Amino acid sequence: MLSYLSRNLEPDSLTFINLLDSASLLEKYGFNKDNSYVMFIPNTYEMYWNVTASEFFDRMHAEYDKFWNADRKQKAASLNLTPIQVSILASIVDAEALYDKEMPIIAGLYLNRLNKGILLQADPTVIFANNDFTVKRVTNSLLSIQSKYNTYKYAGLPPGPIMMPSINAIDAVLNRDNNNYIYMCAKEDFSGYHNFAVTVQEHERNAKKYRDALNRRNIFK
């Protein structure tokens, strides 16, 4: 992101990096090095190309405060989450959902897990922890990594986002679907949609359908 900024604004990437790595700057904004990325709300902004790095970050924080209006803050509080936590969860939802229409359902599922004290077990967090974004399927070897971002090992939300969450994903968490789902599995038609389940037995049936379809596809390749 900072490389992109340096190509479009006067300060170079090192200037942006040094400022964003400043503990005092982050503390002023109410963030830390793990979660500072959530301050950047993806949108279109107009500004002069010769804006300074500090002016740019001040503008982004102002836009963040504007985005987190009273209505969004109230919805976050009703979920017992801070705006930062909402954005961290939204980054996982965004990484899981191929289609926006599934985001509120997935958000509801993960909130169910959080509220029940169940590990999130979100594959995108494991991919992030391993820093290998070419991974298509998460295997046992990847699950063994020692990282606070490995939600198969550590309960609750990771310390920061795994990507810049879209506004749609943030609002999907705030307006999550009130469901009882605990499990999800990719649909066996490879559409990018998911089968959702309340019980582990139902989930195992869904997982078997997906594995069988995957084996059939591999055979006929």
Side-chain angles (χ1 to χ4, degrees):
M1 184 192 77
L2 299 183
S3 175
Y4 171 81
L5 291 177
S6 68
R7 293 195 300 271
N8 290 274
L9 300 175
E10 187 175 45
D12 59 27
S13 57
L14 186 60
T15 302
F16 282 118
I17 290 169
N18 288 337
L19 195 58
L20 194 55
D21 277 347
S22 166
S24 59
L25 177 82
L26 296 178
E27 186 178 342
K28 180 182 80 169
Y29 293 143
F31 299 97
N32 59 45
K33 288 185 180 181
D34 287 320
N35 61 36
S36 61
Y37 202 43
V38 306
M39 185 177 76
F40 305 98
I41 304 297
N43 213 331
T44 301
Y45 305 102
E46 289 186 0
M47 61 185 70
Y48 291 110
W49 74 274
N50 61 347
V51 64
T52 67
S54 59
E55 287 171 341
F56 172 79
F57 289 131
D58 283 343
R59 170 69 182 281
M60 290 298 96
H61 186 252
E63 295 292 343
Y64 176 87
D65 283 342
K66 188 187 303 182
F67 175 81
W68 281 102
N69 54 31
D71 180 56
R72 285 192 171 99
K73 285 181 178 178
Q74 188 279 323
K75 287 179 178 178
S78 71
L79 299 173
N80 293 317
L81 298 176
T82 65
I84 289 174
Q85 290 172 323
V86 168
S87 292
I88 291 172
L89 179 55
S91 74
I92 299 173
V93 171
D94 218 344
E96 288 278 19
L98 186 59
Y99 303 103
D100 283 4
K101 65 171 64 176
E102 272 201 341
M103 285 183 178
I105 304 172
I106 295 173
L109 182 154
Y110 280 131
L111 284 165
N112 292 339
R113 283 183 163 263
L114 283 174
N115 292 333
K116 292 177 181 290
I118 302 172
L119 292 171
L120 291 184
Q121 295 185 329
D123 286 359
T125 67
V126 177
I127 292 170
F128 181 88
N130 281 273
N131 196 30
D132 184 356
F133 301 99
T134 64
V135 171
K136 300 300 181 185
R137 294 188 68 188
V138 171
T139 59
N140 287 334
S141 61
L142 297 176
L143 294 175
S144 64
I145 188 167
Q146 292 295 329
S147 168
K148 290 292 186 181
Y149 287 88
N150 184 352
T151 56
Y152 278 79
K153 282 185 176 290
Y154 293 94
L157 292 167
I162 60 171
M163 63 182 292
M164 182 183 288
S166 65
I167 291 175
N168 285 345
I170 296 171
D171 283 339
V173 173
L174 295 175
N175 300 283
R176 54 81 174 84
D177 180 60
N178 284 304
N179 58 59
N180 296 316
Y181 296 135
I182 300 295
Y183 307 97
M184 67 179 177
C185 177
K187 292 196 75 167
E188 65 277 8
D189 60 2
F190 305 108
S191 62
Y193 285 99
H194 295 84
N195 285 318
F196 299 94
V198 176
T199 67
V200 66
Q201 293 82 7
E202 186 182 1
H203 173 63
E204 287 172 352
R205 289 195 294 271
N206 290 336
K208 184 179 185 303
K209 286 190 291 187
Y210 178 74
R211 287 195 303 269
D212 290 346
L214 193 62
N215 289 335
R216 287 194 297 271
R217 189 169 76 165
N218 290 337
I219 289 172
F220 291 107
K221 272 189 175 180

